[in-house]
Amino acid sequence: MMKKARKSILFLATMGVCLISGCGAKEEVQEPPIEIFVNETLSSVEEQTTVENETQSITSDEVPFETSIQSEEPAKTESASEPESSSGQETQTTQMAPPEEVKYMDIAHIFKPYEQAVEISFQMPDNWNYTLEDVEEEDPDWGYFVKVQGREDAVFSIFGQHGTLTAADLPNANGPNSFQTSQGLTGQYFWEEYMLDDGNTAIQGRVIFDTELVGFYGISFHMPKSVYSESKDIIDKVFQSIVIKEAQ
């Protein structure tokens, strides 16, 4: 009886310890500490954050496709425009061919309408034609008669005359305008336009010089307006070259 009582007491004591501290089987299946779980969670979050940062970094360094195309378009435009620019330069070079040079010759003659001799000189293109008319008793005029471009219908005269020189024979004259040669010879300029029989427009005019010489001196011209417009610069240069002075 005493042995059974001791065993019962020992069994009860053992059961009490198990109830208080837990059985041995439960001690082997222990849950992991909270600190380990937290550390693993933080590590997983850090790894995920690192992957996302690396992905964002790669994405930000790439050039968008549309931007790449836009950056190439100006280059293509410049490349395409180069031949056009070169072609334009070639066209300008062709159009800017130098004009044919005009060669001038000096014309001079001494006229003696009175006791005082007068020299009239000027310059004209060497491919134009002129006629010299000297002083004659039956002719009131003397001087040069020039054919512009060798044409019979385009002429001018640089002349002197015994009578008074006016613009009365130009009924619809414009002017007068002041005129002066390169050597300082001054005068008054009159001109008008009129219709030819063929329906084309012509122009005529006169310059009356102011001189202290005996007699009256001037320029008279008439020609188709088309000829005048084509040769205007040359005609002006001829008129500017006129010198009328007392001969020595």
Side-chain angles (χ1 to χ4, degrees):
M1 291 292 295
M2 290 296 294
K3 289 181 180 179
K4 289 183 179 180
R6 288 178 181 177
K7 288 181 180 181
S8 297
I9 294 170
L10 181 59
F11 175 77
L12 292 173
T14 302
M15 290 298 292
V17 172
C18 288
L19 292 173
I20 295 172
S21 59
C23 63
K26 291 183 179 181
E27 288 179 358
E28 293 178 356
V29 186
Q30 293 182 357
E31 295 180 358
I34 296 176
E35 292 181 358
I36 295 174
F37 176 78
V38 173
N39 289 336
E40 289 179 353
T41 302
L42 290 176
S43 177
S44 176
V45 171
E46 288 177 356
E47 288 178 359
Q48 183 177 358
T49 303
T50 303
V51 171
E52 291 178 355
N53 290 338
E54 290 177 355
T55 303
Q56 292 178 355
S57 175
I58 293 172
T59 303
S60 63
D61 291 339
E62 291 179 353
V63 179
F65 183 66
E66 293 182 357
T67 304
S68 176
I69 293 177
Q70 292 174 357
S71 65
E72 291 175 0
E73 286 180 354
K76 291 181 180 178
T77 302
E78 293 175 359
S79 176
S81 64
E82 289 178 0
E84 295 178 0
S85 176
S86 176
S87 176
Q89 292 177 356
E90 291 176 1
T91 302
Q92 292 177 0
T93 302
T94 302
Q95 293 177 351
M96 296 177 64
E100 183 179 353
E101 182 181 359
V102 178
K103 296 181 180 179
Y104 292 84
M105 59 181 177
D106 297 323
I107 311 295
H109 184 74
I110 295 176
F111 301 89
K112 195 173 182 180
Y114 310 101
E115 292 183 1
Q116 180 189 35
V118 177
E119 180 182 38
I120 302 177
S121 63
F122 67 102
Q123 293 180 326
M124 63 171 253
D126 61 359
N127 59 348
W128 289 10
N129 306 111
Y130 79 96
T131 301
L132 173 65
E133 293 190 9
D134 213 336
V135 179
E136 296 180 3
E137 293 181 359
E138 65 274 10
D139 193 347
D141 300 334
W142 64 91
Y144 306 95
F145 297 87
V146 182
K147 296 178 181 179
V148 177
Q149 300 178 358
R151 296 180 53 150
E152 296 288 342
D153 62 343
V155 297
F156 66 85
S157 58
I158 304 169
F159 67 100
Q161 74 174 37
H162 294 293
T164 302
L165 185 60
T166 68
D169 55 346
L170 302 177
N172 301 310
N174 297 286
N177 286 358
S178 299
F179 181 87
Q180 183 172 339
T181 68
S182 58
Q183 297 297 316
L185 182 62
T186 61
Q188 301 297 315
Y189 173 50
F190 305 83
W191 80 99
E192 68 178 11
E193 295 184 3
Y194 62 98
M195 192 70 65
L196 296 171
D197 293 338
D198 59 5
N200 293 319
T201 304
I203 185 169
Q204 62 182 352
R206 178 167 295 178
V207 176
I208 302 173
F209 287 119
D210 304 319
T211 69
E212 296 179 356
L213 301 173
V214 178
F216 295 87
Y217 301 87
I219 306 169
S220 181
F221 66 91
H222 64 85
M223 64 192 71
K225 189 175 180 181
S226 58
V227 177
Y228 179 79
S229 299
E230 181 181 351
S231 302
K232 184 179 184 303
D233 291 343
I234 298 175
I235 293 172
D236 288 347
K237 186 170 183 177
V238 173
F239 290 176
Q240 288 293 317
S241 69
I242 296 172
V243 176
I244 303 174
K245 63 181 181 179
E246 182 179 354
Q248 300 297 328

